[in-house]
Amino acid sequence: MIGLIPERLERIVVLGAHCDDIPIGAGGTLLRMSRPGLRVDALVLSGGGSEREDEERAALAAFCPGADLDVTVLKMPDGRLPAHWGEAKNALEELRSRTDPDLILAPRTDDAHQDHRGLAKLVPTAFRGHLTLGYEIVKWDGDLTTPSAYVPLSGELAEKKVELLQRHYPSQRHRPWYDREAFLGLARVRGIECQARYAEAFHVTKMRLQLEG
């Protein structure tokens, strides 16, 4: 059974198949939540030992200001997670052995990218009683669907997210989808859907409600 988010988060886990997945999908949420005393454990499955790892470490530090941040970047080959299922599973189990998070931010289970989808499906095999919000990443696959949870963002936070993405991932600036319009455009649509200016949207597979009369 999946638990509730406590009023004050103490520990969170953020998961990505690739460097930049976490900030693209949940960067605004991290900016909104981060504070001194919050523990953030980040696990990224690919990019280790390359310039991408350097970008990721600097970016996550910027997206988690003041938080107690621990980042692990592995060296799995991009696009090959299904062939490295055991390694990914072991990494999640190792992370679970040293943290009991209040919240997990991870890819969504119906993401069209096999690495994103594979990681998302592994999460509940290691974190069985934890609320997981599945973030979305816009891409050419056209796989965006109707989300079930929203985190409203102010205009300032939305702009800050875009600025940090552009600053910390120079290796991605050449990509046609990696621009201000794409990031703010999706955030504006999700904001309309939850009666806010901007928002990040998430998918929830299962959660428990504790209602008292």
Side-chain angles (χ1 to χ4, degrees):
M1 190 62 67
I2 306 303
L4 293 167
I5 302 177
E7 291 185 5
R8 183 175 176 85
L9 295 169
E10 300 295 338
R11 303 180 71 93
I12 67 172
V13 161
V14 291
L15 304 170
H18 316 100
C19 297
D20 78 19
D21 285 353
I22 296 166
I24 289 175
T29 300
L30 287 175
L31 286 170
R32 180 166 176 169
M33 291 191 303
S34 292
R35 57 168 175 78
L38 176 68
R39 171 71 179 191
V40 180
D41 288 288
L43 172 64
V44 182
L45 299 184
S46 64
S50 70
E51 67 172 347
R52 298 280 278 142
E53 178 176 357
D54 295 335
E55 291 178 342
E56 185 77 340
R57 290 184 178 279
L60 289 176
F63 277 100
C64 301
D68 177 15
L69 174 66
D70 181 78
V71 180
T72 300
V73 184
L74 303 181
K75 298 182 179 180
M76 295 183 202
D78 188 355
R80 298 291 187 270
L81 187 145
H84 294 263
W85 187 92
E87 185 180 352
K89 168 74 169 176
N90 289 340
L92 285 173
E93 293 284 2
E94 191 280 329
L95 177 58
R96 175 65 183 95
S97 71
R98 55 187 172 86
T99 187
D100 185 22
D102 302 312
L103 174 67
I104 300 171
L105 302 176
R108 58 191 179 91
T109 55
D110 59 348
D111 193 294
H113 194 298
Q114 68 271 18
D115 292 353
H116 301 172
R117 186 173 63 253
L119 174 57
K121 291 182 176 181
L122 275 172
V123 172
T125 72
F127 295 89
R128 300 189 61 86
H130 301 80
L131 180 61
T132 300
L133 300 182
Y135 56 73
E136 57 183 1
I137 296 178
V138 64
K139 49 188 174 300
W140 73 272
D141 304 83
D143 64 348
L144 295 179
T145 58
T146 304
S148 50
Y150 297 83
V151 175
L153 302 176
S154 66
E156 180 182 2
L157 272 183
E159 291 283 359
K160 182 67 172 178
K161 171 183 174 177
V162 173
E163 188 271 324
L164 291 177
L165 286 172
Q166 294 289 354
R167 182 198 310 173
H168 288 289
Y169 295 101
S171 67
Q172 304 303 298
R173 292 177 191 154
H174 69 285
R175 299 185 182 277
W177 54 268
Y178 197 91
D179 60 32
R180 181 176 184 275
E181 288 181 299
F183 299 134
L184 282 184
L186 179 59
R188 181 69 185 108
V189 170
R190 297 317 190 196
I192 291 171
E193 293 173 351
C194 71
Q195 298 183 325
R197 181 61 185 173
Y198 296 102
E200 286 179 337
F202 300 88
H203 295 252
V204 182
T205 302
K206 183 192 296 185
M207 67 181 299
R208 182 179 68 192
L209 299 177
Q210 184 172 323
L211 303 177
E212 299 179 3

